[in-house]
Amino acid sequence: MDLEFIMNIFPTLLKTLPLTIYIVVVTAILGFLLAVIVTAIRLKKIPVISQLMDLYTSFMRSTPGLIHIFVVYYGLPVLFRAIGIDINFISRVTFSITALVLYNGAFVSEILRPSYLAVPSQQHEAATSVGMTNWQKHIRVIFPQVLPIALPSLGNALIDLLKDTSLLFLIGLVDIMGQADIIIANTLGVYQLEVYVTIALIYWGCSILLEQVIRFLEKKTGKYLR
Amino acid sequence: GNGEDMADESSSNGDATTVTVAVENASNPLSFTNENGELDGYEVELINLLDEAIDSYEFNIESVDAEAAQVGVDTGKYAFIGGGLFKNSEREEMYLFPEEHTGVSIIRIYTRADDDSIQTLDDLVGKTVHPVTPNGGIFNLLTDYNEAHPDAQIDIQLGESGNFAQRFQALNDGVSDAIVMPSNLGAEEIITELNLNVAPVEEPVQVNPTYLMLAQDQDDLKTELDKAINELRENGELSALSEKWYGEDMFQYEITE
Amino acid sequence: MINLKGIEKTFDGNKVLKGINLEIKSGEVVALIGPSGTGKTTLLRTINFLEKADKGSITIDELTIDNEQVSEKDMILMRRQTAMVFQNYNLFRNKTILENVMEGLIVVQKKSKEEAEKIARQEIERVGLLDKVEQYPIELSGGQQQRIGIARAMALHPKVMLLDEPTSSLDPERSLEVLKVLQKVAKTGMTMVIATHEMDFAKYVSNHVVFMENGHIVEEGSPEKIFTDPSQERTKQFVQELENPFT
Amino acid sequence: MINLKGIEKTFDGNKVLKGINLEIKSGEVVALIGPSGTGKTTLLRTINFLEKADKGSITIDELTIDNEQVSEKDMILMRRQTAMVFQNYNLFRNKTILENVMEGLIVVQKKSKEEAEKIARQEIERVGLLDKVEQYPIELSGGQQQRIGIARAMALHPKVMLLDEPTSSLDPERSLEVLKVLQKVAKTGMTMVIATHEMDFAKYVSNHVVFMENGHIVEEGSPEKIFTDPSQERTKQFVQELENPFT
Amino acid sequence: MNFDFQVMFETILIVLQAVPRTFLIAFLILLVGILFGGIIAFIKIKQVPILSQIINVFVSYVRGVPLIVHLFVVMSSLPEGASSLLKAVGFEMQPHEFPSILIVLVTYSFLEAAIQSENIRGAFQSIDPQQIEAGLSIGFTRRQNLRRIIIPQAMAVALPMFLNALLKIIKALSLAFTVGAVDIMAQARFAAALSSRYLESYIAAALVYWFICGILLIVFNKIEKRLQLGSTR
Ligand SMILES: Nc1ncnc2c1ncn2[C@@H]1O[C@H](COP(=O)(O)OP(=O)(O)OP(=O)(O)O)[C@@H](O)[C@H]1O
Ligand SMILES: Nc1ncnc2c1ncn2[C@@H]1O[C@H](COP(=O)(O)OP(=O)(O)OP(=O)(O)O)[C@@H](O)[C@H]1O
Ligand SMILES: [Mg+2]
Ligand SMILES: [Mg+2]
């Protein structure tokens, strides 16, 4: 293993980190919000929309990320062109985030749904009986109890998201993985081991960070469980 | 280019139509990102030369995955792809190709240097050929061979072939007996770098012309490209490009197809 | 104050409330008695709209709501007039005792945090649990949880209190204390509906007793009447246990 | 039969059991009375090893276990001699009523499905809920759940029954029925420890009353003694409520 | 754009051939993952000293590092290791003869165990401790309690996440391609290369994936409904 080579490519790889982090953070937040909405619609069984959401989540969960990227980046413009709107001015990052949010939201909604259902009905009633609105009930009482159940799995989803940004290299956005591919290609694959060791370290570091965030939230929300 | 994120840039030239074109994003030396983070390579320079030569069009290069490029040109996002692509009947049905080719790809068989049992494609029957990637021309080439020779089948292994270094290392170690691949992707460099007991078979399997591949509705652009490519060919700029990226003028080889 | 008309409720084909008509005047303390599984809890829950009755209308104060066409907004309006003490306490398990009592004050009544805490501490003191304010519900004994349930409802100062067996887990001393608290609150004009199976408690706390059985109201009247001179045979039979419960 | 020696239990610095010594003879029915939050539930739980006491030893039948060095296997052995009825019922919420009662018979006592169902149905009939066997706990009223809790424990025919306020959610009629069931079972020689705050119930069901307060046993003796002629001032004060609870 | 349905249908038929194989492997990986994930979750919940620290590092490494790196590591160490091990006991096997399916199984199972350990841990947080006590009180051993009471209740939460995982594995197997196992996506790519019909091939692949998901959903929903019987909502 060539340590010097590792030292050389380390900064190059690190340079891609801001883009990766930016996409992860924005996607995680938007994806979570989307998931909440989708979960709410499906649990409320709003006719038609609820069935559409079923289709959406099943499609997004079952098909490869490559297809989502292609659908959003190449498919959406065709769709919009058909109704006379050109959306090709939208940036690649935005397209990418859109694709990832759609994907992430579907998965997270299937984490939130069972976690939500695990909160006993008596807790809903307790909140309702003191006169809380539906919204207040969920924010103050139910959601805090959903989180300790969902957080470990949300941690999985977050780390998956970190790794899924590599899909964006398909349409030329260079994240850590993309940069790694570039280095491997430029060195004709001779230094694959070194590149992998380096990105393993970077990814590991990032996911430890994400884990700490999750652990912190878990500690905060799970106090009552003892 | 690679640094920006706008799919379409407003044109710098008043009447010119701006179109987005795609190249592969990690395909050294055709198109790749160099140490400075800029898009570079044979196809990239070629497209830039064409851009200069054609007044009525502006090219905006996007570097994406090979498959993404295909899908992009299918859906009309890209006007054409520059990826050292071969022409075949299936493709001709779906896309437009310029009259003139803009590159040459020599397909060779690589074997261990001391193994002279393999000289032509026919000799590959019964040998272990290194797995081929699904999206490459080699897969098509070998499939065509098998179709043409129903009673002498080459065993085409499907699977990710690994990067080039791994492929040659595997050949060197005896995992496989032969690699079929274009010679212009840095094979020589790897063999020397890794000090491998591997050499190409003297006679090329094929010398293929490679083309830019246009979306079907780009007739006007095709006309312009035909003109410009001809110019570059005449004034020797294509040969110069080839010298720069491949160390030799590939256009001197006689096309076998 | 409260007026129930023709309340019906069916659970998977099992009719639990079979047309309940009941009028409760402002400031009345109603004791709801009757055998286990009779529909006492269900009736309290329909008044609080935790369960939507299939038929019938409910009036609280000025507002009348027909169960067959009730909006989410109406239900919340109605609920804010009432507070409920649950048979199995239903404390917010992710909140401390203090937070449990403060929650409604802050979120629903928009009180400041300081004021809410002041009220909450008063109510918690009243049920003798000031030393437990930082604890979580799971760390409390049954009777302690029940008392916090009462404190949580009390703190809201609702027009109507619905109490579902509020002394079931309390020893006689504590029951007596709760009785006194309820009597004091009743004097302020709060209306109360108390489902209970402790006849002594019912007798002393209420001024209006409703005897339910099997989804029907069998008989209602003043405690004196129901406990000493009921007109229905069934009532007589049920309340006579009171005299000599275990003989 | 049961012998508790120096049982101590502390929750986060709060000493809840402060050295409990108690001897219970085979076939005795012990009523555990005392104010809310005194440690009655905790004591029952330590006997059932749901809570491991910090100090002291527990003997059931022949087997003595020191709480400071108890193995998982010992705990299971001890538990299999006892059955518990919980203050808040704790039925298996994912199992039907019938399954709730059959579960221990099949899994622990390795009875055949047919036999288990037969026993279960008998016990459920005893508490008057045969029509609910296919229901899930959430669909039952409080009192109904409590009775199933009793049936579940009864079905196991344990040597020792631990009952935590088994009639808290039952009306007088039902309480009387439960009393009769317990008395009948007591005649078969089963030992019972019943935490209760219903003094009447305690008086009639037990032949040994233990008055606890604040983690201590204040006084114990026959019901006659405790309820009519207690030797401790505090006991007198506590049980006198019984005579005239709400006056 | 000219879309060729003929090609799409033909591709669907080709791609379908890869379904049983892909599905079987994925299911196997999930099972192994749940099994080991369960054990890991148990160690974490119990906070077994030392062991749980080691487990933490293991989980964060395996979860954090991209699959392709794992594949690379396993691919370049497992065959060698197995070969020298076999040699020690007198068998002759060239490293490159090592079955690639084993590489896939080993790598993915490790990853899955790490992932499932967290899902399972979360599901267990949803269990009401009083349910556990109810089981103990009627004399269940811990294991009986686990099997009869806790797991069925935790399953209601974990099951949808297991389906999430299964779907992810089915897709992630396209990376296993690196070691020479052909999955659905790879099959579609070969078809695309031959026909030069990329859109048609991808859509075909998507439909096949979606179809598998549809079938799985029917099965999983049925089980989930059963598990939720009598639950508090
Ligand atoms: N969610 C439900 N689904 C089905 N049946 C229900 C449901 N809730 C209550 N019931 C049934 O309705 C009847 C009345 O229940 P309710 O809880 O109102 O009785 P209760 O008078 O409060 O009894 P208790 O004194 O035992 O608490 C019972 O037979 C019960 O089984
Ligand atoms: N898990 C726990 N953590 C902290 N404190 C606890 C815990 N369990 C019980 N306690 C405390 O121990 C004391 C005794 O509780 P226990 O449940 O034994 O009382 P009890 O005599 O059964 O009361 P009640 O009649 O109200 O049921 C109470 O003050 C309670 O707050
Ligand atoms: Mg009730
Ligand atoms: Mg208790």
Side-chain angles (χ1 to χ4, degrees):
Chain A
M1 199 161 62
D2 188 340
L3 279 181
E4 203 185 311
F5 184 81
I6 291 182
M7 298 311 290
N8 277 337
I9 60 171
F10 204 71
T12 318
L13 284 165
L14 274 188
K15 249 185 270 167
T16 62
L17 214 49
L19 177 70
T20 309
I21 291 172
Y22 170 71
I23 292 177
V24 167
V25 170
V26 174
T27 307
I29 294 169
L30 294 180
F32 187 80
L33 291 179
L34 176 65
V36 170
I37 294 169
V38 172
T39 309
I41 292 173
R42 293 180 70 202
L43 284 173
K44 281 198 155 173
K45 303 213 160 67
I46 302 175
V48 189
I49 317 182
S50 171
Q51 277 78 38
L52 284 178
M53 289 299 127
D54 285 351
L55 280 183
Y56 152 74
T57 47
S58 67
F59 180 81
M60 281 294 161
R61 290 196 300 156
S62 59
T63 49
L66 171 138
I67 287 175
H68 312 148
I69 302 271
F70 285 179
V71 165
V72 171
Y73 192 54
Y74 299 115
L76 274 190
V78 174
L79 215 69
F80 276 83
R81 201 161 52 222
I83 55 170
I85 306 171
D86 182 15
I87 58 166
N88 275 330
F89 64 90
I90 295 173
S91 81
R92 246 195 291 201
V93 173
T94 310
F95 274 115
S96 310
I97 289 178
T98 309
L100 284 178
V101 164
L102 287 174
Y103 176 65
N104 192 253
F107 269 100
V108 171
S109 82
E110 271 303 280
I111 294 172
L112 294 182
R113 190 179 59 82
S115 306
Y116 178 89
L117 289 175
V119 177
S121 58
Q122 286 89 340
Q123 294 294 314
H124 288 259
E125 296 187 344
T128 310
S129 79
V130 301
M132 290 189 192
T133 61
N134 205 25
W135 173 256
Q136 290 169 330
K137 173 183 87 177
H138 281 103
I139 294 298
R140 308 280 306 191
V141 178
I142 306 304
F143 233 68
Q145 296 187 39
V146 170
L147 280 180
I149 304 168
L151 270 172
S153 302
L154 290 178
N156 277 341
L158 196 58
I159 289 172
D160 273 348
L161 176 60
L162 171 70
K163 291 189 277 186
D164 284 340
T165 55
S166 63
L167 275 175
L168 305 183
F169 192 51
L170 279 174
I171 54 168
L173 277 183
V174 183
D175 77 327
I176 307 169
M177 204 63 189
Q179 186 63 49
D181 282 346
I182 289 174
I183 295 173
I184 292 173
N186 285 359
T187 54
L188 299 161
V190 178
Y191 290 106
Q192 192 170 17
L193 174 66
E194 285 80 355
V195 175
Y196 278 176
V197 166
T198 320
I199 61 166
L201 287 176
I202 297 176
Y203 271 108
W204 195 7
C206 290
S207 60
I208 286 177
L209 225 71
L210 295 178
E211 263 174 17
Q212 292 307 323
V213 173
I214 293 290
R215 193 159 297 169
F216 171 77
L217 290 174
E218 252 190 78
K219 274 234 172 73
K220 241 182 115 83
T221 57
K223 261 189 290 197
Y224 69 96
L225 293 170
R226 291 194 314 150
Chain B
N2 191 45
E4 51 71 56
D5 288 316
M6 304 304 271
D8 251 33
E9 236 170 23
S10 59
S11 164
S12 51
N13 178 340
D15 342 307
T17 319
T18 302
V19 292
T20 308
V21 306
V23 296
E24 279 192 47
N25 54 8
S27 175
N28 196 345
L30 290 175
S31 55
F32 61 98
T33 310
N34 65 20
E35 286 82 29
N36 307 323
E38 290 154 356
L39 207 52
D40 207 347
Y42 179 87
E43 295 286 333
V44 179
E45 285 201 31
L46 169 71
I47 292 171
N48 283 333
L49 285 178
L50 291 171
D51 197 358
E52 271 168 41
I54 301 173
D55 286 336
S56 52
Y57 281 94
E58 286 283 320
F59 297 148
N60 166 28
I61 306 180
E62 214 171 90
S63 71
V64 298
D65 186 82
E67 290 163 279
Q70 295 270 4
V71 174
V73 86
D74 285 358
T75 58
K77 183 136 198 150
Y78 306 130
F80 65 81
I81 314 176
L85 295 164
F86 303 153
K87 190 153 77 176
N88 61 28
S89 55
E90 286 90 358
R91 281 178 176 169
E92 273 178 302
E93 216 175 279
M94 296 185 64
Y95 309 104
L96 297 177
F97 286 91
E99 302 304 324
E100 292 285 342
H101 61 279
T102 42
V104 176
S105 147
I106 300 179
I107 295 176
R108 291 186 186 280
I109 302 172
Y110 291 83
T111 59
R112 281 180 292 281
D114 47 20
D115 178 2
D116 48 14
S117 66
I118 298 172
Q119 293 301 330
T120 62
L121 279 188
D122 301 323
D123 300 331
L124 291 180
V125 177
K127 300 277 184 183
T128 315
V129 181
H130 194 85
V132 296
T133 43
N135 56 331
I138 305 299
F139 174 61
N140 291 14
L141 176 86
L142 295 181
T143 311
D144 285 347
Y145 176 90
N146 277 352
E147 266 166 26
H149 303 81
D151 38 280
Q153 295 284 301
I154 300 174
D155 177 22
I156 308 174
Q157 291 189 54
L158 302 181
E160 194 69 49
S161 5
N163 63 49
F164 297 138
Q166 284 169 338
R167 295 187 208 184
F168 283 103
Q169 191 69 53
L171 174 58
N172 184 73
D173 299 347
V175 178
S176 55
D177 298 324
I179 299 174
V180 184
M181 68 175 268
S183 66
N184 55 4
L185 297 177
E188 292 296 333
E189 236 177 278
I190 296 169
I191 293 169
T192 26
E193 177 101 8
L194 294 177
N195 195 18
L196 298 175
N197 175 33
V198 170
V201 170
E202 184 64 36
E203 195 62 25
V205 177
Q206 263 184 4
V207 177
N208 285 322
T210 67
Y211 293 87
L212 302 176
M213 195 167 90
L214 288 88
Q216 223 162 21
D217 55 356
Q218 298 285 356
D219 304 275
D220 293 346
L221 178 56
K222 175 181 176 304
T223 322
E224 291 292 335
L225 281 175
D226 281 340
K227 231 171 34 200
I229 292 169
N230 226 349
E231 250 172 57
L232 296 182
R233 185 71 179 276
E234 307 275 85
N235 65 18
E237 286 197 61
L238 279 186
S239 298
L241 261 192
S242 179
E243 288 277 358
K244 174 176 174 189
W245 289 101
Y246 300 116
E248 58 181 331
D249 179 6
M250 308 276 283
F251 291 92
Q252 74 190 353
Y253 287 94
E254 192 183 336
I255 306 287
T256 55
E257 254 198 357
Chain C
M1 179 67 190
I2 304 182
N3 202 344
L4 309 180
K5 275 204 192 119
I7 300 292
E8 295 188 12
K9 177 74 194 177
T10 304
F11 288 114
D12 343 292
N14 172 16
K15 205 165 203 169
V16 170
L17 297 179
K18 301 172 178 167
I20 300 285
N21 296 301
L22 181 61
E23 221 190 304
I24 299 172
K25 295 202 199 69
S26 181
E28 260 187 352
V29 179
V30 177
L32 207 55
I33 61 171
S36 167
T38 276
K40 304 183 293 295
T41 299
T42 308
L43 184 60
L44 290 183
R45 288 163 59 83
T46 53
I47 299 177
N48 204 17
F49 288 94
L50 289 174
E51 211 83 69
K52 208 165 68 58
D54 305 326
K55 274 204 185 135
S57 73
I58 299 179
T59 309
I60 298 181
D61 231 6
E62 317 283 69
L63 193 59
T64 299
I65 283 181
D66 181 352
N67 274 294
E68 282 169 87
Q69 36 186 321
V70 46
S71 72
E72 180 70 17
K73 229 181 97 199
D74 287 342
M75 289 203 277
I76 292 172
L77 269 179
M78 294 290 264
R79 271 189 213 120
R80 291 201 170 163
Q81 320 237 37
T82 63
M84 176 121 175
V85 178
F86 292 90
Q87 186 163 6
N88 39 6
Y89 333 137
N90 291 10
L91 302 183
F92 302 125
R93 55 186 189 172
N94 60 327
K95 300 198 180 287
T96 64
I97 298 315
L98 187 62
E99 288 166 350
N100 258 279
V101 183
M102 286 167 63
E103 199 61 17
L105 297 172
I106 293 179
V107 178
V108 179
Q109 305 190 347
K110 310 286 179 210
K111 292 212 161 46
S112 75
K113 225 182 145 223
E114 292 68 38
E115 203 188 346
E117 179 160 347
K118 210 179 115 223
I119 298 175
R121 282 184 182 276
Q122 265 167 16
E123 295 297 340
I124 296 173
E125 178 156 30
R126 226 174 6 184
V127 295
L129 287 169
L130 255 192
D131 55 326
K132 301 279 180 193
V133 284
E134 294 304 332
Q135 232 96 337
Y136 285 96
I138 195 167
E139 300 170 328
L140 260 53
S141 81
Q144 290 167 341
Q145 290 189 40
Q146 188 156 50
R147 285 180 275 158
I148 294 302
I150 295 171
R152 180 174 69 184
M154 285 289 181
L156 295 171
H157 284 294
K159 290 201 188 127
V160 179
M161 281 268 276
L162 307 168
L163 299 103
D164 197 358
E165 318 219 335
T167 58
S168 66
S169 303
L170 300 179
D171 57 274
E173 287 180 341
R174 283 289 168 197
S175 292
L176 182 59
E177 280 176 32
V178 167
L179 178 81
K180 284 178 184 155
V181 169
L182 296 183
Q183 281 170 337
K184 209 161 114 195
V185 174
K187 288 218 185 76
T188 69
M190 194 186 286
T191 311
M192 283 187 257
V193 187
I194 310 175
T196 182
H197 59 265
E198 291 188 58
M199 297 307 135
D200 268 339
F201 184 80
K203 200 163 159 184
Y204 288 100
V205 80
S206 70
N207 44 32
H208 179 172
V209 178
V210 175
F211 174 52
M212 267 182 83
E213 180 156 44
N214 211 356
H216 287 294
I217 294 182
V218 177
E219 187 169 358
E220 55 175 318
S222 70
E224 294 73 38
K225 167 143 191 304
I226 298 288
F227 287 114
T228 55
D229 179 28
S231 51
Q232 300 289 319
E233 199 44 47
R234 180 66 186 106
T235 318
K236 205 172 284 174
Q237 190 191 346
F238 186 79
V239 300
Q240 80 182 12
E241 312 275 353
L242 175 65
E243 300 310 310
N244 268 9
F246 296 114
T247 44
Chain D
M1 179 68 189
I2 304 184
N3 202 342
L4 309 179
K5 276 201 192 125
I7 301 290
E8 293 187 11
K9 177 73 194 179
T10 304
F11 289 114
D12 341 294
N14 171 19
K15 205 166 201 168
V16 170
L17 297 179
K18 302 173 177 167
I20 298 287
N21 297 301
L22 182 60
E23 222 190 301
I24 298 171
K25 295 201 199 71
S26 177
E28 258 185 357
V29 178
V30 177
L32 206 57
I33 61 172
S36 167
T38 275
K40 303 183 293 295
T41 299
T42 309
L43 185 61
L44 291 183
R45 288 163 57 83
T46 54
I47 299 178
N48 205 17
F49 288 92
L50 290 174
E51 211 81 70
K52 208 163 70 58
D54 304 327
K55 273 205 185 131
S57 72
I58 298 178
T59 309
I60 297 182
D61 230 5
E62 318 283 68
L63 193 59
T64 299
I65 284 183
D66 181 353
N67 274 294
E68 280 170 87
Q69 36 183 323
V70 45
S71 71
E72 180 71 39
K73 228 182 99 199
D74 287 342
M75 287 204 277
I76 291 169
L77 269 179
M78 294 290 264
R79 267 190 216 121
R80 291 200 170 163
Q81 319 237 34
T82 63
M84 177 123 174
V85 177
F86 292 90
Q87 187 164 5
N88 39 5
Y89 334 133
N90 290 7
L91 302 183
F92 302 124
R93 58 185 192 181
N94 59 330
K95 299 200 180 287
T96 63
I97 297 317
L98 187 62
E99 286 166 351
N100 258 280
V101 182
M102 283 167 65
E103 198 64 15
L105 297 171
I106 293 178
V107 179
V108 179
Q109 304 190 348
K110 310 288 179 209
K111 293 213 161 46
S112 74
K113 230 185 140 220
E114 290 70 36
E115 204 186 347
E117 180 161 344
K118 210 179 117 226
I119 298 174
R121 282 184 181 274
Q122 265 167 15
E123 295 298 339
I124 295 173
E125 178 155 32
R126 237 193 336 202
V127 295
L129 287 170
L130 255 193
D131 54 328
K132 301 279 181 192
V133 284
E134 294 303 333
Q135 232 95 339
Y136 285 94
I138 187 129
E139 300 171 326
L140 260 52
S141 82
Q144 290 167 342
Q145 290 188 42
Q146 188 157 49
R147 285 180 273 157
I148 295 301
I150 295 171
R152 180 172 70 180
M154 285 290 182
L156 294 171
H157 284 294
K159 288 198 191 129
V160 179
M161 281 267 277
L162 308 168
L163 300 103
D164 198 358
E165 318 219 336
T167 57
S168 66
S169 303
L170 300 181
D171 58 275
E173 286 180 340
R174 283 290 169 197
S175 293
L176 181 59
E177 280 175 32
V178 168
L179 178 81
K180 284 178 183 155
V181 170
L182 295 184
Q183 281 170 335
K184 206 160 119 194
V185 175
K187 286 216 185 80
T188 69
M190 193 187 286
T191 311
M192 283 186 257
V193 187
I194 309 175
T196 183
H197 60 266
E198 292 188 57
M199 296 308 137
D200 267 337
F201 185 80
K203 199 163 158 185
Y204 288 101
V205 79
S206 71
N207 43 34
H208 179 173
V209 177
V210 176
F211 173 51
M212 269 182 82
E213 179 155 46
N214 210 355
H216 289 292
I217 292 181
V218 177
E219 186 170 359
E220 55 175 316
S222 70
E224 293 73 38
K225 171 145 186 305
I226 299 288
F227 287 114
T228 55
D229 179 27
S231 51
Q232 302 287 319
E233 198 45 47
R234 179 66 186 104
T235 317
K236 204 172 288 174
Q237 188 192 345
F238 187 79
V239 300
Q240 80 182 15
E241 312 274 355
L242 175 64
E243 299 311 309
N244 269 7
F246 296 114
T247 45
Chain E
M1 202 171 87
N2 50 356
F3 193 87
D4 191 334
F5 282 96
Q6 179 78 25
V7 173
M8 188 184 86
F9 288 126
E10 279 165 12
T11 311
I12 288 181
L13 291 183
I14 298 172
V15 169
L16 273 175
Q17 293 166 3
V19 169
R21 183 174 47 212
T22 310
F23 181 78
L24 212 71
I25 298 173
F27 201 70
L28 199 64
I29 292 168
L30 180 67
L31 282 186
V32 177
I34 292 174
L35 195 71
F36 285 97
I39 296 171
I40 293 173
F42 181 79
I43 294 172
K44 274 192 170 183
I45 293 169
K46 287 275 156 224
Q47 300 187 329
V48 182
I50 307 172
L51 210 55
S52 73
Q53 273 79 39
I54 296 173
I55 287 285
N56 276 340
V57 175
F58 166 81
V59 170
S60 101
Y61 174 78
V62 173
R63 229 173 20 145
V65 169
L67 184 53
I68 183 114
V69 178
H70 290 316
L71 275 172
F72 182 77
V73 170
V74 175
M75 203 163 44
S76 51
S77 60
L78 192 60
E80 300 276 349
S83 150
S84 28
L85 204 74
L86 282 177
K87 197 174 257 165
V89 292
F91 283 102
E92 198 64 42
M93 185 198 76
Q94 288 300 309
H96 63 83
E97 286 165 0
F98 191 82
S100 57
I101 184 74
L102 273 183
I103 296 177
V104 173
L105 284 178
V106 167
T107 316
Y108 281 67
S109 301
F110 267 107
L111 174 63
E112 213 42 43
I115 289 171
Q116 290 316 329
S117 74
E118 284 295 276
N119 286 340
I120 292 170
R121 198 169 61 82
F124 271 68
Q125 313 246 48
S126 76
I127 302 289
D128 180 352
Q130 295 182 336
Q131 293 288 309
I132 301 175
E133 293 187 347
L136 292 178
S137 82
I138 62 171
F140 278 179
T141 62
R142 298 235 168 235
R143 186 178 310 181
Q144 286 169 336
N145 212 12
L146 203 63
R147 222 189 48 235
R148 311 280 308 189
I149 308 298
I150 305 174
I151 289 181
Q153 291 188 24
M155 218 32 162
V157 176
L159 203 72
M161 303 190 194
F162 288 160
L163 180 57
N164 266 355
L166 186 59
L167 295 172
K168 272 202 166 136
I169 300 171
I170 289 176
K171 289 183 285 176
L173 278 176
S174 64
L175 255 191
F177 199 53
T178 318
V179 292
V182 178
D183 82 321
I184 295 170
M185 200 62 203
Q187 200 78 275
R189 282 180 167 150
F190 281 117
L194 277 179
S195 63
S196 192
R197 295 275 179 174
Y198 281 82
L199 275 184
E200 286 84 345
S201 304
Y202 287 141
I203 290 172
L207 288 177
V208 171
Y209 276 116
W210 204 2
F211 170 73
I212 300 177
C213 176
I215 291 184
L216 286 174
L217 268 178
I218 292 170
V219 177
F220 274 70
N221 280 346
K222 269 234 168 70
I223 308 175
E224 198 189 327
K225 284 268 150 53
R226 276 193 67 95
L227 289 168
Q228 280 171 350
L229 278 188
S231 93
T232 49
R233 280 191 61 76

